[in-house]
Amino acid sequence: MLHLIVSGDRTSLLALGGILFAFVATVLATAKLGEYLPRDEGREFAHDGKLSAGKPRGAGIIFVLAFVAAALLFAPLNVEMIIYMLLVVVCMITGYLDDAAKTPWGEVRKGFLDLCVAVLTAMNFLKFNSSRIELAFFNVWLDIPRWLFIVLAVILVWVSVNVTNCSDGVDGLSGTLTIITLTTIYMVDRVLNAGNRFPYLILLFAACILGYLWYNATPSRLMMGDAGSRAMGLFISIAILKTNRPFLYIPVALVLILDGGLGLIKIFLLRFFKIHVLTKVRTPLHDHVRKILGWSNTQTVFRFAIIQILLAVAVVYGIGM
């Protein structure tokens, strides 16, 4: 909105103001509204899960709405990006309703809702973009049939939403990893000269997560819940799709994928094929390293973040060559 009345050299100051607004608005809104969030009852099967009992959860509703407000005020939006923002809000709302429910939603309901959001996201992308993608690092472009692209995009979105959700379990972990992943995608966009519309949304979203982490660093005062983790996963998948290099998702979000995804693979193989794998590995991985290897929460966050930062440096360097 504000960019319509600001032009010239002041646009850079406006962009900076938007990032600061996103962070400050999240911090202030969280301080004022955090006490009204539903309370966590402690996760029975998570390592140290009972320590979270009584803390406010569902804080994702605060930083996602702060992101939307910042985007509407400061970002140059178009129809495609507005639809993406609506889908992020929908994903956040479904997660928040689960956070606030006395009885957690079942896997079937959540999986179906994630599938609906994934289909709408893929269709919106193809409405405004082509199905031509590049194999990152190889400079090889492929023209994917539109139906196949939708199938692959739906899988990408669904996986991103769920692995990010499953990685949420240690104070500051999923938020920190998401910021690293999004910052990596932003740097890739800059190297590729991908314009300034969607990459600016990445900065606004990251600033809002930073505002949330102000209160979520160990020991946390509140938790994002499904309202935050699912919305973050969706936004990551959208940001990856906008690079036209969807396979970049693997290296730029590898720690999220391994941390949250191994458990999904174990459950899927056991439930549908009666195959037991990784029997000695506790999932999510952040529970394994804390309970089996004896890492503290802070060590888990820092070490997982260090690994993802190293991958990010390699990705940006490889894209820029």
Side-chain angles (χ1 to χ4, degrees):
M1 181 185 299
L2 294 178
H3 73 280
L4 296 175
I5 58 177
V6 176
S7 59
D9 297 336
R10 296 182 179 179
T11 54
S12 296
L13 290 176
L14 181 66
L16 176 60
I19 295 170
L20 294 176
F21 173 87
F23 173 77
V24 173
T26 303
V27 170
L28 294 180
T30 303
K32 296 291 185 181
L33 303 175
E35 61 183 283
Y36 299 104
L37 295 172
R39 301 284 169 166
D40 191 79
E41 298 180 0
R43 287 157 292 181
E44 182 179 355
F45 300 104
H47 180 64
D48 289 339
K50 293 183 179 180
L51 297 179
S52 63
K55 291 183 180 179
R57 68 177 180 183
I61 191 173
I62 297 176
F63 72 74
V64 169
L65 292 180
F67 160 69
V68 171
L72 291 175
L73 284 172
F74 294 92
L77 300 174
N78 56 29
V79 174
E80 179 188 7
M81 291 192 289
I82 291 174
I83 295 174
Y84 288 141
M85 288 168 57
L86 289 173
L87 290 171
V88 170
V89 170
V90 168
C91 205
M92 175 272 292
I93 290 175
T94 59
Y96 181 79
L97 292 175
D98 185 26
D99 292 331
K102 292 183 178 181
T103 302
W105 288 7
E107 296 175 1
V108 174
R109 179 191 292 187
K110 291 190 289 188
F112 175 73
L113 292 173
D114 292 340
L115 179 62
C116 292
V117 169
V119 171
L120 291 173
T121 301
M123 293 177 63
N124 185 56
F125 179 85
L126 270 188
K127 173 69 176 178
F128 299 96
N129 305 271
S130 73
S131 60
R132 194 166 187 255
I133 65 172
E134 182 187 10
L135 295 179
F137 310 115
F138 297 101
N139 197 29
V140 175
W141 286 88
L142 301 175
D143 290 310
I144 306 296
R146 293 175 66 87
W147 68 267
L148 179 58
F149 184 92
I150 288 181
V151 171
L152 296 176
V154 167
I155 293 173
L156 170 62
V157 174
W158 192 93
V159 168
S160 183
V161 169
N162 283 276
V163 300
T164 307
N165 179 52
C166 291
S167 71
D168 182 28
V170 181
D171 292 343
L173 179 61
S174 60
T176 298
L177 292 175
T178 296
I179 288 175
I180 296 170
T181 294
L182 289 177
T183 302
T184 307
I185 298 172
Y186 175 81
M187 295 174 68
V188 168
D189 284 336
R190 294 295 84 193
V191 171
L192 298 174
N193 193 26
N196 60 4
R197 287 200 171 189
F198 193 85
Y200 182 62
L201 288 185
I202 294 176
L203 295 181
L204 292 181
F205 198 84
C208 291
I209 299 175
L210 285 171
Y212 157 76
L213 288 176
W214 189 264
Y215 300 98
N216 186 247
T218 303
S220 65
R221 287 174 49 183
L222 78 176
M223 300 174 294
M224 69 170 66
D226 282 11
S229 59
R230 291 181 178 276
M232 291 193 311
L234 176 59
F235 192 85
I236 288 172
S237 67
I238 295 169
I240 281 290
L241 287 172
K242 290 297 291 180
T243 67
N244 293 315
R245 292 158 179 82
F247 291 104
L248 270 182
Y249 174 68
I250 296 174
V252 303
L254 185 60
V255 177
L256 284 171
I257 294 170
L258 293 177
D259 185 29
L262 288 180
L264 295 176
I265 293 174
K266 287 178 65 175
I267 294 173
F268 175 79
L269 291 177
L270 180 60
R271 182 169 298 175
F272 293 99
F273 299 99
K274 308 302 179 183
I275 298 176
H276 295 262
V277 297
L278 302 172
T279 55
K280 295 184 179 180
V281 177
R282 186 183 180 97
T283 55
L285 281 184
H286 60 249
D287 277 352
H288 181 85
V289 298
R290 290 187 298 160
K291 184 172 183 178
I292 306 302
L293 302 184
W295 293 9
S296 68
N297 285 359
T298 302
Q299 287 174 324
T300 301
V301 174
F302 267 80
R303 289 172 179 174
F304 278 28
I306 288 169
I307 294 170
Q308 190 58 65
I309 290 172
L310 290 173
L311 290 168
V313 172
V315 167
V316 175
Y317 178 77
I319 293 294
M321 289 185 64

